[in-house]
């Protein structure tokens, strides 16, 4: 077969969304132990949606009757959201992937061909089910993501380890949707290796370990 040039992929895993009963403790771990910065806390006071930037303590938020919907954290080229939920140990609701325009369109075509559900929210975020208990949040080129990904020299996610009931099926669902190769239980998305390990729950995979470089 004659050699053909293939343009490098722009695909990168830059975000993941965690759900846990211990949202405050998980937020504190990323800030105090891993050096992440709190971007904002989003939630409600009464029926009104509100957001608070860093500098407002939990004591003050509690006094105001604040109910957390999610905390957003960031360091280098990594963005993490923590949402209150039913599980003590954090589980992954979705992975956020940046793609170029062609990759974005082709991924949506593969999702449609597989009958996977696609949700567009406010024209800014596109969610796709994987059929394996978690979702992908897909982003075509956007200025704020480009700016975030330029911070890879400061920090990027090298490995993400997730516990799952069927690691190979979880990995295959991810690889098939993004048209990537899989090595049994792992998939490489740009500079990040996503590894699914045995012994986890059905449905959303459980966060086990992260390697930041």
């Amino acid at each position: 077969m004659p050699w053909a040039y293939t343009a490098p992929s722009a695909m990168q895993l830059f975000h993941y969304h965690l759900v846990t009963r211990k949202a405050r403790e998980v937020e504190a771990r990323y800030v105090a132990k891993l050096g992440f910065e709190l971007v904002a806390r989003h939630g409600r006071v009464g029926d009104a949606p509100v957001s608070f930037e860093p500098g407002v303590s939990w004591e003050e938020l509690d006094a105001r009757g604040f109910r957390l919907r999610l905390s957003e954290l960031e360091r280098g080229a990594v963005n993490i959201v923590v949402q209150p939920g039913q599980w003590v140990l954090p589980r992954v609701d979705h992975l956020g992937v940046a793609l170029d325009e062609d990759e974005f369109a082709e991924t949506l075509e593969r999702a449609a061909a597989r009958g996977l559900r696609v949700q567009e929210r406010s024209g800014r975020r596109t969610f796709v089910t994987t059929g394996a208990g978690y979702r992908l949040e897909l982003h075509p080129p956007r200025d704020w993501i480009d700016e975030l990904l330029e911070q890879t020299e400061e920090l990027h996610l090298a490995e993400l380890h997730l516990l799952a009931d069927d690691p190979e099926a979880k990995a295959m669902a991810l690889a098939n949707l993004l048209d990537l190769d899989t090595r049994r239980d792992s998939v490489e998305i740009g500079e990040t290796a996503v590894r699914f390990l045995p012994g986890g729950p059905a449905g959303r995979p459980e966060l086990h370990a992260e390697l930041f470089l």
Side-chain angles (χ1 to χ4, degrees):
M1 179 182 295
W3 180 86
Y5 171 74
T6 301
S9 172
M11 192 179 300
Q12 292 289 343
L13 173 60
F14 72 95
H15 162 76
Y16 47 105
H17 185 117
L18 303 174
V19 181
T20 173
R21 192 185 307 166
K22 297 190 174 184
R24 294 191 189 189
E25 291 89 337
V26 172
E27 175 197 286
R29 169 184 177 265
Y30 283 105
V31 173
K33 293 187 176 181
L34 298 175
F36 277 70
E37 294 184 0
L38 176 65
V39 177
R41 297 185 182 112
H42 307 280
R44 288 184 175 274
V45 173
D47 293 329
V50 293
S51 295
F52 291 94
E53 295 183 354
V56 183
S57 69
W58 276 114
E59 289 77 11
E60 184 175 348
L61 293 175
D62 288 339
R64 295 187 186 190
F66 175 72
R67 300 194 309 276
L68 179 68
R69 184 174 63 87
L70 56 85
S71 294
E72 184 178 2
L73 305 146
E74 204 164 271
R75 182 183 171 192
V78 185
N79 177 278
I80 298 172
V81 162
V82 182
Q83 174 186 332
Q86 68 186 85
W87 301 286
V88 174
L89 297 177
R91 295 198 192 183
V92 171
D93 176 82
H94 63 263
L95 304 173
V97 181
L99 311 97
D100 65 26
E101 293 286 1
D102 289 340
E103 291 168 338
F104 180 76
E106 290 164 1
T107 301
L108 292 183
E109 288 177 3
R110 285 190 292 272
R114 290 170 169 79
L116 299 174
R117 185 181 180 187
V118 177
Q119 294 176 292
E120 293 188 12
R121 295 189 178 176
S122 304
R124 297 180 59 252
R125 298 190 298 166
T126 300
F127 290 93
V128 180
T129 62
T130 61
Y134 63 96
R135 301 178 295 164
L136 294 186
E137 181 181 351
L138 305 178
H139 288 271
R142 302 188 191 281
D143 290 342
W144 70 270
I145 295 179
D146 292 342
E147 292 173 3
L148 182 73
L149 294 177
E150 288 173 0
Q151 307 302 314
T152 53
E153 292 184 1
E154 178 186 340
L155 184 100
H156 72 275
L157 179 64
E159 294 189 19
L160 181 64
H161 295 188
L162 306 174
L163 297 177
D165 60 329
D166 189 339
E168 291 189 30
K170 291 282 197 289
M172 186 64 70
L174 179 60
N176 286 345
L177 186 54
L178 296 176
D179 194 29
L180 297 173
D181 294 330
T182 178
R183 296 182 179 179
R184 292 188 59 189
D185 57 4
S186 68
V187 182
E188 291 190 6
I189 305 175
E191 298 181 343
T192 304
V194 180
R195 304 183 190 281
F196 294 93
L197 306 176
R204 292 170 176 164
E206 185 178 285
L207 179 66
H208 180 64
E210 303 137 305
L211 175 61
F212 300 106
L213 294 178

